[in-house]
Amino acid sequence: HRDRTDHVSKLAQISLALGALYLLTAFIQIFGAISTALQRPRLIITYVYLAFLAALLISTAGFITGIEYFLLAEDIIGECVALAVEGSWVSKTIFVGIQMQNKIID
């Protein structure tokens, strides 16, 4: 929400990209758990290859996070300052579609 109101779209885009990388990695791990539970050799071999892809995805996410930290530090600090001054945060849940507002207590 704050990314759109403060026109910090780069942070939002990077956050979405990182979320997609982590979500894909989670799906690979779930596939691995199902593969081992089914004890199907072909699925397990496929999971081994996907595990290497997952490791690459996590490494890429870490690299992107580091680059984001250095290139967009002003925007990140600006969001933190705005949050501290405003004293509240707004979060929209994905599943329910309700906006939640909470006050920060000193």
Side-chain angles (χ1 to χ4, degrees):
H1 181 273
R2 179 167 301 287
D3 291 337
R4 282 178 282 173
T5 58
D6 291 344
H7 307 291
V8 189
S9 63
K10 288 181 185 178
L11 285 175
Q13 291 172 352
I14 291 174
S15 295
L16 286 173
L18 289 172
L21 290 175
Y22 289 129
L23 187 63
L24 184 58
T25 302
F27 285 141
I28 290 172
Q29 298 305 319
I30 290 168
F31 174 78
I34 292 170
S35 299
T36 55
L38 294 175
Q39 297 181 352
R40 310 290 296 268
R42 187 69 194 140
L43 291 177
I44 294 172
I45 291 171
T46 302
Y47 168 67
V48 169
Y49 290 118
L50 288 175
F52 285 113
L53 176 64
L56 181 64
L57 290 174
I58 294 297
S59 298
T60 302
F63 181 74
I64 290 172
T65 302
I67 296 297
E68 174 192 27
Y69 178 76
F70 287 108
L71 293 180
L72 301 175
E74 274 187 42
D75 295 336
I76 295 169
I77 292 172
E79 282 199 27
C80 292
V81 168
L83 179 62
V85 169
E86 194 174 288
S88 66
W89 57 271
V90 177
S91 176
K92 184 172 183 179
T93 61
I94 295 172
F95 302 108
V96 183
I98 300 171
Q99 283 195 353
M100 300 169 19
Q101 295 186 349
N102 290 327
K103 294 283 183 191
I104 297 176
I105 300 171
D106 290 331

